[in-house]
Each structure stands twice: as C-alpha cells, then as structure tokens.
Amino acid sequence: QSVLTQPPSVSGTPGQRVTISCSGSSSNIGINSVTWYQQLPGTAPTLLIYSNNKRPSGVPDRFSGSKSGTSASLAISGLQSGDEADYYCSTWHDSLNGPVFGGGTKLTVL
Amino acid sequence: EVQLVESGGGLVKPGESLRLSCAASGFTFSDYSMNWVRQAPGKGLEWVSSISTSSAYIYYADSVKGRFTVSRDNAKKSLFLQMNSLRDDDTAVYYCATENDPGEFDYWGQGTVVTVSS
C-alpha cells in the first residue's frame, strides 16, 4: 500500500489530453512539493516534473503538473504513442527523511 | 553527459551479502547527494537510502535499516550499497540517482538486478 495514491491505469487516443492524479495527505503533499517521473518500458525512470509544475530542459510542454491541497495531477496533452509508460508521483516524507512514491500509473495510448 | 553506471548485482541466497557500486561521470559528483531506489519485479519504486555530499547525513528506509549500509568515495566518484542479511523481498532492480533538491532525483542509472532466492 503506497503512501501516495495513483490510479493503476489510464488510457487515451492519440492527440487526446489525459490526466493522472496523485492523492496524499496533509503530512506529505500538503506541505511538500511533488515530483513526477516517467518510466518507459524496460528503462530507468526519468525526471518529468519537479517542484509541482517545473519541467527539466528537454521535456516537452505537453507535460504539465499541478498541485492543490493534498493532491497533485500530471496532464499530458497531444497524446503520442511514445508517451506509453508508467508514471510515478513522489513527495518528501519528513519522518522518513526521504521521498515516498505513488504506486504508479500505466498510460496506454489506444 | 551525466552517466551513472551500477554494478554488483547478482543471484544470492537468503541471508547472504552483496555490494552494489555506482560509478558517476559527467558532473561534479562531490556536489550532489546520492540515493538508491529499488523496484521489485512488476512493482513500483521504493526509496532505499540517501547520503549527503560529505557523507555527514545518511538515511535509510525502514525496510533496510540495520541491514544495508550506504557509502561514497568522492575521489573515485563512486557510490556504494552494502547489503547484508538479504531477504527474498529485497529482490529488485537497484538504481542509483542524483538528488538535486530533497527528494528530486534528476539523473538515474540503468539499474542492476539483485535476485535473492534459495
């Protein structure tokens, strides 16, 4: 059971916009920023969004992040087949002195 | 180009030990806190351990505390994870990752596979 809750799967068609939710609590997302990672099949995770809504250089602006209260969302617009991947949210956990991850969401492009 | 290359994984029996290494290049290793994150087969990501730039601050997940020891050698640009008393549920791909801000891992290695099985 992950500390952060994500839907196990989402799907969309090419060109569509999809969102992935990440639900936490007042002790994690409520007081810390959220990070998102993309893990393409058979590869290591890569940083996708940091500080709730910032994109590292090289990440297309089709990817956007937001946070409100104890939840966060990742939105992907103009869906492409290459976006098929697992997406993980993460936030700092004070008592752990480390981050916690959501269970991951598998995105399928139909 | 930032590169992180893990090594040292393998097949071991429960109770045995293994030492993982992560060789860094392409950035100033001594400027970054480093972390180990693992992923069990078909499962999500789990943070394992972190070590600050000078090794002054070291933290572990509860699941590995007392069994795993993280260390680093800034002169050799290397990160290590000594894993003792391995259990079946330690089976996973182990990734090393740089930490830009607390909990934000901006670069990851390709991972090394650890399998614990009798």
Side-chain angles (χ1 to χ4, degrees), chain A residues 51-92:
Chain A
S51 297
N52 301 324
N53 54 18
K54 295 181 172 55
R55 287 184 307 275
S57 61
V59 173
D61 59 7
R62 300 187 297 106
F63 295 89
S64 63
S66 64
K67 175 188 140 176
S68 177
T70 59
S71 294
S73 289
L74 173 70
I76 309 172
S77 60
L79 207 56
Q80 300 176 1
S81 59
D83 297 333
E84 278 206 342
D86 292 324
Y87 293 86
Y88 294 91
C89 63
S90 175
T91 191
W92 188 256

Side-chain angles (χ1 to χ4, degrees), chain A residues 14-82:
Chain A
Q16 199 174 18
R17 181 179 184 270
V18 297
T19 61
I20 297 172
S21 61
C22 176
S23 177
S25 70
S26 57
S27 61
N28 45 62
I29 290 181
I31 55 174
N32 294 303
S33 62
V34 176
T35 306
W36 290 89
Y37 300 94
Q38 179 190 57
Q39 187 175 30
L40 296 169
T43 69
T46 59
L47 180 64
L48 189 65
I49 298 288
Y50 67 99
S51 297
N52 301 324
N53 54 18
K54 295 181 172 55
R55 287 184 307 275
S57 61
V59 173
D61 59 7
R62 300 187 297 106
F63 295 89
S64 63
S66 64
K67 175 188 140 176
S68 177
T70 59
S71 294
S73 289
L74 173 70
I76 309 172
S77 60
L79 207 56
Q80 300 176 1
S81 59

Side-chain angles (χ1 to χ4, degrees), chain A residues 4-16:
Chain A
L4 305 180
T5 302
Q6 298 180 234
S9 64
V10 296
S11 63
T13 56
Q16 199 174 18

Side-chain angles (χ1 to χ4, degrees), chain B residues 97-117:
Chain B
T98 60
E99 185 174 7
N100 189 36
D101 275 331
E104 291 180 1
F105 303 150
D106 45 355
Y107 294 101
W108 298 62
Q110 86 291 347
T112 187
V113 178
V114 172
T115 303
V116 184
S117 175

